[in-house]
Amino acid sequence: MANVTVIGAQWGDEGKGKIVDWLASRADAVVRFQGGHNAGHTLVVGDTTYKLSLLPSGIVTGTLSIIGNGVVLDPWHLKSEIEKLESQGVIIHEDNFAIADNCPLILPIHRDLDGLRETAAGSGKIGTTGRGIGPAYEDKVGRRAIRVCDLAHLDDLEPQLDRLCAHHDALRAGFDQPPVDREALLAELREIAPSVLRFAQPVWKRLKKVRKAGARILFEGAQGVLLDIDHGTYPFVTSSNTVSGTAASGSGLGPNATGFVLGIVKAYTTRVGSGPFPTELDDEVGQRLGERGHEFGTVTGRQRRVGWFDAVIVRQSCAISGVTGIALTKIDVLDGLETVKICTGYRLRGKIMDYYPAHAADQAAVEPIYEEMEGWSQSTAGARSWAELPANAIKYIQRVQELIETPVALVSTSPERDDTILVTDPFMD
């Protein structure tokens, strides 16, 4: 049996939650390996809707769910999210949930700094969620982070607080803010520590045991490849590596553990926040797709920008992340359009390009080259086999996989778990 790594192959919001939930019901463990509570997954199970932003999607099915060391953890949000799910009947305990003891923490001072910077940035705003993700990763790399394991040693935290506050006090002074209140921070950490420490452990060791037993592990990515700190539309990106290779370093397992890489791809394109978007639609078609696709962010509630399917960026994402097969979602949102378009290349200052350039100015200047296809009037919503899809919808899906040079492994036709057309079983690869 193969392990499976799920990543978003666009700018996030591709429908990973439903796919991960569907796969999690067949997995033995689900692992989050990067990002923080800036990710948003919506799961629809029967009549119940679950909104997750930090907990792995497997927690809803009772599958062993693990937050790996590559995640930055807001302990107060974690407590709140656990309480919310428990109020919906989800059982969360030490047997089905674990947190890496070497996870860096997101602190109130990180949220403060995130907001101060974004407010002061003016036209240079990146469009962060304001949740302190970036500053927390900065402190991790700067070797001044407070980690989960430190919550068990708060009486010995002074040297780390010295390093942390030396950095943050200088930044806060630049924004006319008072120094960090160390005593208040320590008091908050003492109060929240028991809620986190009950789940803390060396998860690399637990995962090693799970893998040795032949269990199936599902690695759950957040955001999308085009928001990767290295490979995305820099600087309009997130603060972590979102590509599949991060599953190894962000969980404590080796790169040979990642297995089948499933790239989640929406049948059109969306992104939240600032940054280039070659196929963006500012017309009534874009409005229609946004309304039919309910394109509002799970975490922020912000309206997503909408555009035609961009085969160039998806092909690039699949290559960079070693995608084995894609899960195509939200095909039903295209129902009823007379024609549909796919971006097959770019024109940049008279030159034809088959890849997305690295420089922000070039990214903003590219003009999409479109291929137009005949749409379909019949509904694809809820289809569970190829026979239930209109012929033109099948042609569209086939053309997508040709252009992105990656096969379609499954097609999602609604938010419901079972409304899925399975072509290739990732766990049986």
Side-chain angles (χ1 to χ4, degrees):
M1 297 289 185
N3 293 333
V4 177
T5 300
V6 174
I7 53 115
Q10 293 160 309
W11 276 289
D13 310 310
E14 303 95 348
K16 291 187 293 297
K18 177 257 178 84
I19 302 299
V20 170
D21 172 55
W22 181 78
L23 290 167
S25 64
R26 301 164 61 237
D28 300 296
V30 183
V31 185
R32 271 286 307 273
F33 58 86
Q34 50 77 217
H37 63 307
N38 55 340
H41 291 170
T42 300
L43 314 183
V44 179
V45 183
D47 296 329
T48 306
T49 298
Y50 303 95
K51 291 187 179 293
L52 310 178
S53 55
L54 182 59
L55 291 168
S57 299
I59 200 71
V60 171
T61 58
T63 306
L64 172 61
S65 297
I66 290 175
I67 293 179
N69 58 275
V71 173
V72 284
L73 182 85
D74 183 320
W76 297 276
H77 178 87
L78 175 70
K79 184 173 184 290
S80 173
E81 193 169 316
I82 287 175
E83 290 172 350
K84 170 66 174 174
L85 285 182
E86 286 180 334
S87 74
Q88 293 182 282
V90 177
I91 298 172
I92 301 172
H93 48 68
E94 292 85 344
D95 290 336
N96 69 358
F97 180 53
I99 303 168
D101 55 6
N102 53 343
C103 257
L105 297 178
I106 299 174
L107 305 173
I109 57 175
H110 295 134
R111 295 195 299 269
D112 293 345
L113 182 58
D114 211 353
L116 290 167
R117 282 174 170 170
E118 194 73 351
T119 300
S123 61
K125 282 183 171 62
I126 292 174
T128 77
T129 58
R131 297 192 164 202
I133 311 296
Y137 272 117
E138 290 176 39
D139 280 351
K140 173 185 176 178
V141 176
R143 294 164 293 182
R144 52 183 173 266
I146 294 174
R147 302 185 299 169
V148 167
C149 55
D150 294 318
L151 294 174
H153 302 274
L154 292 177
D155 290 337
D156 304 315
L157 204 60
E158 287 302 318
Q160 287 165 263
L161 283 175
D162 287 342
R163 288 197 300 274
L164 184 71
C165 293
H167 177 77
H168 280 269
D169 286 349
L171 291 173
R172 292 170 68 89
F175 289 108
D176 294 323
Q177 297 294 309
V180 175
D181 187 334
R182 294 169 64 139
E183 292 306 314
L185 177 58
L186 267 173
E188 288 183 273
L189 290 173
R190 288 187 197 283
E191 184 180 8
I192 198 67
S195 299
V196 180
L197 289 174
R198 61 181 287 221
F199 301 113
Q201 59 185 269
V203 299
W204 65 268
K205 190 174 181 181
R206 187 163 185 178
L207 283 171
K208 181 182 178 184
K209 184 178 180 180
V210 167
R211 192 178 179 212
K212 192 173 182 180
R216 292 179 290 196
I217 302 172
L218 177 62
F219 298 94
E220 176 184 1
Q223 291 90 36
V225 173
L226 290 165
L227 293 176
D228 185 277
I229 189 67
D230 286 313
H231 301 288
T233 49
Y234 193 91
F236 302 100
V237 292
T238 194
S239 301
S240 61
N241 286 109
T242 60
V243 294
S244 62
T246 313
S249 61
S251 66
L253 284 176
N256 62 342
T258 53
F260 188 108
V261 179
L262 184 66
I264 315 301
V265 179
K266 199 175 287 185
Y268 49 101
T269 311
T270 63
R271 80 170 296 172
V272 172
S274 306
F277 187 171
T279 66
E280 185 170 11
L281 293 169
D282 293 319
D283 56 13
E284 60 183 29
V285 175
Q287 181 74 18
R288 171 179 172 167
L289 294 178
E291 290 174 357
R292 292 200 61 186
H294 305 291
E295 296 299 348
F296 295 91
T298 301
V299 170
T300 63
R302 289 182 293 181
Q303 186 170 355
R304 297 178 186 133
R305 299 154 63 192
V306 180
W308 292 118
F309 185 84
D310 189 333
V312 181
I313 60 172
V314 176
R315 182 171 63 241
Q316 193 160 319
S317 293
C318 289
I320 289 168
S321 217
V323 172
T324 314
I326 69 161
L328 191 69
T329 68
K330 291 198 169 186
I331 187 73
D332 55 300
V333 175
L334 300 180
D335 291 353
L337 292 174
E338 289 188 15
T339 59
V340 289
K341 294 182 181 181
I342 300 176
C343 173
T344 60
Y346 302 131
R347 187 174 287 105
L348 177 62
R349 303 181 190 97
K351 181 182 178 182
I352 304 298
M353 303 186 71
D354 62 355
Y355 68 96
Y356 205 31
H359 197 277
D362 290 339
Q363 291 176 350
V366 296
E367 300 173 16
I369 299 170
Y370 287 116
E371 178 177 305
E372 195 167 298
M373 299 182 68
E374 188 178 344
W376 52 93
S377 57
Q378 308 97 312
S379 174
T380 62
R384 299 183 181 183
S385 69
W386 288 115
E388 297 176 63
L389 291 178
N392 284 344
I394 295 174
K395 289 179 182 177
Y396 181 82
I397 294 168
Q398 290 174 334
R399 185 58 178 146
V400 163
Q401 69 178 358
E402 288 171 4
L403 289 169
I404 66 174
E405 299 172 1
T406 307
V408 172
L410 58 94
V411 179
S412 169
T413 58
S414 94
E416 294 290 339
R417 180 188 292 173
D418 293 330
D419 289 343
T420 304
I421 300 170
L422 183 63
V423 182
T424 302
D425 188 340
F427 276 124
M428 298 298 290
D429 177 72

